[in-house]
């Protein structure tokens, strides 16, 4: 394979963008494991009492991911997220105002490999969601599994991530006074196994629970589509019936998480690596009627 190296003279802003995406990628694929390792090492060290205190905190705080989380305006406003946005770049398009007196359920498609569009637009201030939709607070729903990992759970909650458990979504949609937007990647982990450039396979037929939830709480449904999401990574061939696909689906059933074997470009070369391609991602909803963005 011929390797295409990056030019030596690249503007600093592009280097900053690459660094921002690199840290985001690390947080997705390795930070949870590192946090768990730190907790275990702390438990086995002379500072074991700190781990014990944190374990008590975990028990006391166990319901927080299902009750709106604990977001941090400071973390969501980090400058690194603007570099992250500009790497692709990410764009959030508003088509109509949303009434902040209501609670909304955003149905996000496609999941992609790492839901870059959903994270950048709804878990950071980089796309200025708050200015586009004043009075509305977005919450991105994530698999409950990740909120059991020590330290990591606290970090992701700072970004506005909450558990995708039914109780969590119900809590947000039932809040009095409105102003809450629960963002759900409808296709979930199974859809990530189909994400690759030029392809668009959505998981819809067996995903109807979110509609019942929205009806139950009287919350408007907002279909959201992220154009370009599937163009960010290549994925190892895993057709239905293959050994790889079988292993991925068993893992998904066992742990609730999928393991797409993805690749794209590197830091100093463009031929192979884990960094996403620099492809634009535009997240937008279509107005269906009723005065809603959706």
């Amino acid at each position: 394979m011929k390797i295409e190296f990056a030019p030596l003279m690249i503007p600093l802003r592009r280097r900053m963008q690459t660094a921002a995406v690199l840290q985001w990628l690390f947080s997705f694929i390795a930070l949870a494991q590192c946090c768990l390792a730190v907790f275990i090492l702390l438990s086995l060290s002379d500072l074991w009492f700190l781990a014990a205190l944190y374990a008590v905190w975990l028990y006391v705080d166990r319901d927080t991911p299902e009750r709106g989380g604990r977001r941090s305006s400071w973390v969501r406003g980090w400058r690194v997220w603007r570099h992250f946005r500009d790497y692709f770049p990410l764009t959030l398009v508003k088509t109509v105002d949303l009434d902040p007196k209501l609670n909304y359920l955003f149905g996000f498609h496609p999941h992609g490999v790492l839901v870059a569009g959903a994270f950048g637009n709804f878990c950071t201030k980089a796309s200025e969601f708050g200015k586009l939709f004043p009075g509305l607070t977005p919450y991105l729903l994530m698999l409950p599994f990740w909120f059991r990992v020590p330290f990591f759970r606290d970090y992701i909650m700072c970004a506005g991530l909450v558990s995708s458990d039914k109780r969590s979504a119900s809590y947000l949609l039932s809040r009095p006074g409105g102003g809450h937007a629960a963002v759900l990647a409808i296709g979930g982990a199974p859809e990530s196994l189909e994400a690759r450039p030029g392809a668009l396979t959505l998981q819809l037929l067996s995903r109807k629970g979110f509609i019942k939830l929205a009806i139950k709480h009287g919350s408007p449904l907002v279909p959201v589509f992220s154009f370009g999401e599937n163009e960010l990574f290549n994925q190892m061939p895993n057709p239905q019936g293959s050994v790889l696909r079988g292993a991925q689906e068993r893992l998904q059933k066992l742990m609730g998480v999928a393991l797409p074997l993805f690749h794209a470009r590197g830091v100093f070369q463009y031929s192979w690596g884990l960094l996403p391609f620099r492809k634009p991602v535009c997240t937008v909803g279509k107005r269906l009627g009723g005065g809603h963005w959706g």
Side-chain angles (χ1 to χ4, degrees):
M1 180 181 67
K2 183 179 179 181
I3 298 178
E4 181 185 357
F5 289 98
L8 292 176
M9 302 302 293
I10 288 183
L12 178 61
R13 61 178 178 80
R14 289 179 67 88
R15 293 295 188 195
M16 295 290 287
Q17 293 165 9
T18 300
V21 173
L22 192 61
Q23 66 81 29
W24 165 78
L25 187 66
F26 170 79
S27 70
F28 256 93
I29 66 177
L31 184 58
Q33 294 87 329
C34 290
C35 288
L36 181 59
V38 168
F39 181 76
I40 293 173
L41 292 174
L42 197 61
S43 303
L44 300 176
S45 72
D46 293 337
L47 299 176
W48 59 269
F49 60 92
L50 294 178
L53 288 173
Y54 185 80
V56 172
W57 165 252
L58 278 180
Y59 178 78
V60 172
D61 197 54
R62 64 188 182 280
D63 292 333
T64 299
E66 298 175 356
R67 299 183 65 81
R70 188 169 43 251
R71 65 203 300 117
S72 166
S73 179
W74 176 66
V75 172
R76 289 170 53 86
W78 281 349
R79 185 166 184 168
V80 68
W81 302 130
R82 281 179 275 171
H83 295 303
F84 172 81
R85 173 200 64 196
D86 295 340
Y87 174 91
F88 301 96
L90 300 178
T91 307
L92 180 62
V93 177
K94 172 182 177 178
T95 60
V96 73
D97 292 332
L98 290 179
D99 185 355
K101 296 180 181 179
L102 300 175
N103 295 316
Y104 299 87
L105 180 56
F106 286 17
F108 183 90
H109 278 298
H111 184 286
V113 171
L114 295 179
V115 285
F119 179 86
N121 290 313
F122 304 119
C123 294
T124 79
K125 296 182 180 180
S127 295
E128 300 186 330
F129 180 94
K131 292 183 178 180
L132 290 173
F133 304 100
L136 202 60
T137 302
Y139 300 81
L140 181 60
L141 277 63
M142 190 176 187
L143 289 172
F145 172 85
W146 298 112
F147 294 93
R148 303 188 186 105
V149 182
F151 307 126
F152 181 72
R153 68 186 290 277
D154 300 291
Y155 173 64
I156 59 178
M157 279 196 291
C158 284
L161 286 151
V162 296
S163 173
S164 60
D165 185 274
K166 183 179 179 180
R167 289 174 295 178
S168 176
S170 294
Y171 176 86
L172 295 174
L173 299 180
S174 64
R175 301 306 295 159
H180 298 77
V183 184
L184 177 64
I186 304 300
E191 196 170 276
S192 70
L193 299 179
E194 303 285 357
R196 49 179 45 86
L200 183 60
T201 302
L202 304 182
Q203 299 283 332
L204 288 170
L205 295 179
S206 61
R207 306 276 174 157
K208 300 175 182 177
F210 71 99
I211 299 176
K212 297 177 181 177
L213 194 65
I215 293 174
K216 176 181 177 181
H217 295 287
S219 299
L221 276 170
V222 182
V224 180
F225 198 91
S226 202
F227 294 92
E229 189 77 41
N230 282 355
E231 307 302 314
L232 302 182
F233 296 97
N234 291 317
Q235 191 170 167
M236 296 290 290
N238 60 342
Q240 290 287 349
S242 66
V243 174
L244 176 57
R245 186 56 168 265
Q248 290 172 322
E249 291 178 343
R250 284 193 293 272
L251 177 66
Q252 193 270 324
K253 291 179 181 179
L254 179 65
M255 301 181 64
V257 298
L259 187 63
L261 299 183
F262 63 91
H263 59 93
R265 51 155 291 186
V267 178
F268 302 110
Q269 47 79 28
Y270 302 140
S271 299
W272 199 92
L274 296 181
L275 279 180
F277 295 119
R278 284 182 179 266
K279 299 287 187 178
V281 177
C282 180
T283 303
V284 64
K286 181 180 179 182
R287 183 172 179 173
L288 300 178
H292 298 306
W293 181 66

